[in-house]
Amino acid sequence: MHLKYCQRCVMPHTKPDLLIDAEGVCNACRAYENRRQVDWDQRKKELLQILDRYAPANGSNYDCLIPVSGGKDSHYQVIRMLELGRNPLCVTATTDYLTDLGRHNIENIKKLGVDYIEVSVNPQVRCKINRLALRQVGDISWPEHVTIFTIPVRIAVQFGIPLIVWGENSQNEYGGPANAAKDNVLTRRWLEEFGGLLGLRVSDLIGQDGIREKDLIQYTYPTNEELSRVGVTGIFLGYYLPWDGLANALIAQAHGFRTYHQCVEGSMVNYENIDNGQVRIHDYFKFLKFGFDRATDLACMAVRRGRLSRQDAWKIVRMHDGKFPWSYLGVPLDVILKQIDISFEEFVGICDRFTNKKLFACDARGNLIKDRDGNLTLLGNALEA
Ligand SMILES: [Zn+2]
């Protein structure tokens, strides 16, 4: 099967939820087109109105909660909210293999001048879930994608903070539930759909590998009763303020955010996904399943913003996408596999099992063809006019 690409960017049709219209243009390119018409002054006014609506009457509590990873976008969110005179509580769900750079950047966020909570889950249980998720849905980062959403929502309930200020909503171009005039309290169902869990539910983990219900407290959303008692709701800041990864990185750097000393492995920039040694494995599985990797995501954004031609983007993507994940941010694959107690042989077997063989070159017996570094060959590897 040959991948079909958006005629404007370099995203293939296999990306989940991507729609390519009759003119051959993807919905992400269309959404960006619409953003050019946005009246940002008007959007900022809407933001200020929402912030005022949720501000505690007498300064007795935080104005909002900001989920932060410590990355460039979290820096941008915190910097902007402080500029608007707000007093946020920042919450981090600790990542699975926190790098030194990630630790530096978390400490740097605190220094911007905010109260901060970091929630770390039991690493023994976490490693079991990493392993289960890698084996069952081909996503080592599945538990992280659960807790980056559940933990801030749990803290919002516990601290009685109704407004959560998320960064960008990549799925939808809308401001978030707090923008609706009424009925805007988040339900557990909305949150669960928002998270995107690849068909594996948190409750499915109970009883596997000795995991008990009580091990999964932080992986579970508050009940609907708890959510409505506090009136928990949220907005996406990227709807209200101009949002650009590179600009966010430059603003963050000016405030002490540190970047990687070279282009991140499998990526085409040095300023994002620099806090977790496991990310490369997550991205590599996206390549095996759908035929595109992190460099494609970044190249597409650069094309939409007019920073790269489609042809140059294509060349860059071919240089970086789909390399076997031997190391990431200086962390060797062996170290990550040892952390989650999986052998190299089993890892390669899992990779092969989740590879969409229709997308990659196979020999006459149907086995994947690999070069001496374990790299596959994507079929139809040419940009159509
Ligand atoms: Zn496109």
Side-chain angles (χ1 to χ4, degrees):
M1 179 173 74
H2 285 205
L3 293 168
K4 278 203 280 293
Y5 291 88
C6 168
Q7 294 294 305
R8 272 198 207 161
C9 65
V10 290
M11 190 58 77
H13 74 283
T14 44
K15 183 185 165 98
D17 300 323
L18 190 87
L19 301 169
I20 295 182
D21 66 19
E23 290 171 56
V25 178
C26 78
N27 52 334
C29 283
R30 292 291 184 207
Y32 187 76
E33 213 171 63
N34 295 335
R35 271 181 91 76
R36 289 199 197 136
Q37 324 296 329
V38 170
D39 179 348
W40 291 108
D41 291 336
Q42 178 56 32
R43 289 270 173 98
K44 190 172 176 185
K45 274 185 205 146
E46 288 174 40
L47 172 64
L48 291 171
Q49 281 167 5
I50 292 168
L51 293 174
D52 288 344
R53 182 157 22 118
Y54 287 95
N58 50 8
S60 59
N61 201 352
Y62 297 97
D63 294 319
C64 59
L65 183 150
I66 309 181
V68 294
S69 65
K72 66 188 193 325
D73 294 336
S74 345
H75 274 77
Y76 179 74
Q77 283 161 264
V78 173
I79 290 163
R80 284 288 185 252
M81 295 309 284
L82 290 174
E83 283 172 355
L84 294 173
R86 307 295 150 160
N87 180 30
L89 175 65
C90 294
V91 177
T92 292
T94 309
T95 197
D96 285 321
Y97 190 101
L98 186 66
T99 59
D100 293 345
L101 206 47
R103 173 51 66 197
H104 168 88
N105 287 331
I106 283 175
E107 296 305 318
N108 192 60
I109 288 228
K110 298 179 193 175
K111 289 183 201 155
L112 296 174
V114 289
D115 286 351
Y116 193 100
I117 294 177
E118 187 173 341
V119 179
S120 304
V121 295
N122 179 338
Q124 294 178 6
V125 173
R126 182 57 154 252
C127 289
K128 288 182 184 176
I129 304 176
N130 287 133
R131 186 172 59 225
L132 280 170
L134 186 62
R135 283 174 176 158
Q136 292 178 16
V137 290
D139 186 3
I140 192 172
S141 301
W142 181 89
E144 185 162 309
H145 294 152
V146 174
T147 51
I148 59 172
F149 292 112
T150 55
I151 285 174
V153 176
R154 294 182 63 85
I155 299 283
V157 166
Q158 283 158 27
F159 279 74
I161 306 168
L163 186 64
I164 300 177
V165 178
W166 279 294
E168 192 183 25
N169 182 356
S170 53
Q171 302 296 324
N172 294 296
E173 277 290 311
Y174 83 118
N179 199 16
K182 53 182 180 175
D183 292 339
N184 62 15
V185 174
L186 302 186
T187 60
R188 202 156 157 166
R189 186 180 168 157
W190 185 91
L191 288 161
E192 278 164 358
E193 283 178 12
F194 176 51
L197 299 180
L198 302 174
L200 181 62
R201 291 167 304 182
V202 172
S203 57
D204 296 337
L205 302 172
I206 299 168
Q208 298 199 62
D209 219 349
I211 296 171
R212 303 157 299 179
E213 189 173 5
K214 66 180 176 184
D215 294 322
L216 300 172
I217 294 169
Q218 296 296 337
Y219 296 81
T220 312
Y221 283 113
T223 63
N224 283 337
E225 291 70 35
E226 290 171 312
L227 290 165
S228 59
R229 177 169 52 76
V230 176
V232 174
T233 186
I235 53 171
F236 299 99
L237 205 57
Y239 177 83
Y240 298 98
L241 300 176
W243 192 276
D244 169 21
L246 176 57
N248 291 1
L250 296 175
I251 293 165
Q253 278 186 76
H255 289 81
F257 170 77
R258 274 193 205 153
T259 58
Y260 196 45
H261 63 276
Q262 62 185 41
C263 183
V264 174
E265 297 93 325
S267 181
M268 54 175 268
V269 301
N270 67 347
Y271 57 73
E272 61 132 52
N273 288 342
I274 51 178
D275 61 353
N276 180 358
Q278 293 188 357
V279 168
R280 182 75 205 111
I281 295 177
H282 166 76
D283 287 344
Y284 184 62
F285 273 75
K286 184 165 77 173
F287 180 71
L288 299 178
K289 291 172 180 176
F290 307 116
F292 74 99
D293 206 332
R294 189 62 193 152
T296 295
D297 291 314
L298 289 158
C300 288
M301 287 188 254
V303 170
R304 284 176 208 131
R305 291 178 187 279
R307 291 190 182 124
L308 279 180
S309 71
R310 189 167 178 251
Q311 283 68 26
D312 283 330
W314 179 259
K315 285 181 201 159
I316 293 173
V317 163
R318 296 282 69 86
M319 286 176 208
H320 296 294
D321 258 16
K323 297 278 190 302
F324 189 82
W326 289 109
S327 79
Y328 188 67
L329 302 169
V331 184
L333 176 63
D334 290 351
V335 171
I336 300 296
L337 296 182
K338 194 168 178 219
Q339 181 195 16
I340 64 167
D341 196 19
I342 277 189
S343 69
F344 179 77
E345 290 69 28
E346 182 183 0
F347 177 73
V348 172
I350 297 170
C351 289
D352 290 351
R353 187 152 54 82
F354 282 96
T355 301
N356 181 348
K357 296 202 173 62
K358 289 182 196 149
L359 301 180
F360 296 95
C362 294
D363 65 19
R365 284 180 295 178
N367 296 315
L368 290 161
I369 298 172
K370 299 176 184 179
D371 71 11
R372 71 170 101 158
D373 292 322
N375 298 315
L376 303 172
T377 303
L378 194 59
L379 292 173
N381 199 354
L383 197 61
E384 293 159 44

